Amino acid sequence: MLPEVQGWLRRRTSSAGDWNIRDLAAAKGATTVSVVLPARDERETVGQIVGVIRRELDALVDEVVVIDSRSSDDTAQVAARAGAKVHAQDEILPDLEPLSGKGEALWKSLAVTSGDVVVFVDADIRKFRSSLVFGLLGPLLADPRVAYVKGCYDRPLNGSPNGGGRVTELVARPLINLHWPQLAGFVQPLAGEYAGRRSALERVPFLTGYGVEIGLLIDLLDLAGLDALAQVDLGSREHAPQSTEALGCMACQIMLAAWSRLERQGKITAGHCPSRRLAQFRRTETGHDVCTKDVGIDERPPMITIGGRLTGWAV
């Protein structure tokens, strides 16, 4: 690990227990905070998450917004009853051709929220705790030099206290260490819980799909430098694990995201265009069936380029 990263780890890593709501409320001052949950078919968990934020973080959070990503269940209604503002993903910026994926929901949330600081939280978390939000706010409210905060945590899986994060260990971490060693100190580079200053988030593009997290890390490193990034240990985070097949699609999108940044930064010279198709196999009574999926990702431009939006954080 680079010496500068070792120093960053000591300086810019904290834990949720280092921060408390009363002190953060005092530090908040006139800063406004929006919490965003991208949600698709998450009726079982989204209401509980919104409720905890509303009950326990009223002194810190000015708005809770759920971006409903084409749910087939009543996710939107459950979230609204719990106290969230709910927006249908495809109804935001309707003049733009709609795209799919988590990154699209996060990018569009910048157009319908008003907070100076935006906290992104996945909507499928079980046993949600308010520290998953106020822990992320700690470095941002305490230090104006911090532009972006990433959560890290243990990920229980099948009875093991820390067996999750397979795509992180097999795909994202090797890519980061090989090509962006300044980011090697991030424990959970793909974590779905992170927060940033609007003025920074509006200046970087958002990849769609599961490429959004690694894309934001790389682009914000370019924008603001390593010392403007921080991470907070949030303890443990539990959600429904995805199938190996689904993780394969996620891994493809992360590799495509890394490819796009390597090419943009001049670290590779592309001799071909990567395929957007992934063939996977399922055993049947007669052998193996092939299931081919489109795993391509797209990219939204910095939000400041949409309608001339610009805010005041200086890089």
Side-chain angles (χ1 to χ4, degrees):
M1 186 176 286
L2 296 172
E4 67 177 296
V5 177
Q6 294 175 341
W8 174 86
L9 269 170
R10 294 189 295 269
R11 186 172 61 255
R12 288 298 192 204
T13 301
S14 61
S15 68
D18 295 330
W19 313 100
N20 68 74
I21 296 173
R22 180 177 298 178
D23 290 345
L24 291 177
K28 178 176 182 284
T31 302
T32 54
V33 174
S34 302
V35 176
V36 171
L37 289 82
R40 182 174 186 177
D41 296 335
E42 300 294 355
R43 72 170 319 277
E44 299 300 323
T45 49
V46 69
Q48 191 258 345
I49 295 171
V50 172
V52 168
I53 296 170
R54 279 295 184 204
R55 288 192 305 273
E56 300 183 19
L57 299 179
D58 185 62
L60 288 176
V61 175
D62 297 281
E63 62 178 354
V64 181
V65 173
V66 169
I67 307 298
D68 183 39
S69 299
R70 306 169 190 161
S71 293
S72 60
D73 64 10
D74 61 344
T75 288
Q77 291 80 6
V78 171
R81 286 197 297 269
K85 299 177 184 177
V86 180
H87 296 269
Q89 175 178 304
D90 292 339
E91 293 177 4
I92 303 170
L93 302 174
D95 292 341
L96 300 179
E97 179 182 356
L99 300 177
S100 298
K102 179 183 179 183
E104 171 82 341
L106 299 182
W107 181 76
K108 283 190 169 180
S109 76
L110 297 177
V112 294
T113 53
S114 59
D116 303 314
V117 170
V118 183
V119 182
F120 297 117
V121 178
D122 280 349
D124 64 346
I125 302 174
R126 300 169 176 172
K127 303 175 184 177
F128 183 82
R129 308 176 309 281
S130 61
S131 58
L132 295 175
V133 172
F134 73 72
L136 294 171
L137 288 171
L140 289 160
L141 296 179
D143 189 342
R145 296 170 296 178
V146 174
Y148 185 70
V149 178
K150 193 84 174 171
C152 63
Y153 32 65
D154 295 335
R155 299 190 55 188
L157 179 68
N158 299 329
S160 170
N162 199 19
R166 290 163 285 174
V167 176
T168 290
E169 299 305 327
L170 297 175
V171 181
R173 197 178 311 285
L175 283 170
I176 284 171
N177 278 264
L178 287 169
H179 303 296
W180 296 280
Q182 281 185 295
L183 297 175
F186 281 93
V187 178
Q188 293 285 357
L190 303 182
E193 284 63 58
Y194 43 95
R197 299 193 189 279
R198 174 179 297 276
S199 47
L201 294 171
E202 289 191 341
R203 284 175 165 82
V204 291
F206 276 58
L207 290 163
T208 60
Y210 291 107
V212 62
E213 276 88 15
I214 195 169
L216 284 173
L217 263 185
I218 295 166
D219 292 343
L220 286 164
L221 175 66
D222 272 354
L223 176 77
L226 181 61
D227 201 52
L229 313 181
Q231 69 179 340
V232 176
D233 185 351
L234 301 175
S236 179
R237 176 195 186 276
E238 184 177 342
H239 71 152
Q242 298 199 55
S243 67
T244 301
E245 187 175 280
L247 294 178
C249 295
M250 184 187 300
C252 260
Q253 292 192 329
I254 290 161
M255 284 189 266
L256 287 171
W259 177 286
S260 73
R261 271 33 190 181
L262 288 169
E263 190 172 19
R264 181 173 297 173
Q265 294 177 350
K267 294 183 175 182
I268 60 170
T269 300
H272 74 290
C273 183
S275 172
R276 295 170 61 103
R277 308 291 290 175
L278 173 65
Q280 296 176 305
F281 294 89
R282 297 174 183 169
R283 178 173 286 281
T284 67
E285 293 180 357
T286 58
H288 290 90
D289 283 349
V290 180
C291 177
T292 303
K293 298 177 182 176
D294 184 347
V295 293
I297 56 176
D298 296 294
E299 183 175 300
R300 290 297 196 184
M303 185 58 78
I304 60 170
T305 67
I306 306 298
R309 296 176 58 132
L310 184 64
T311 48
W313 184 73
V315 180

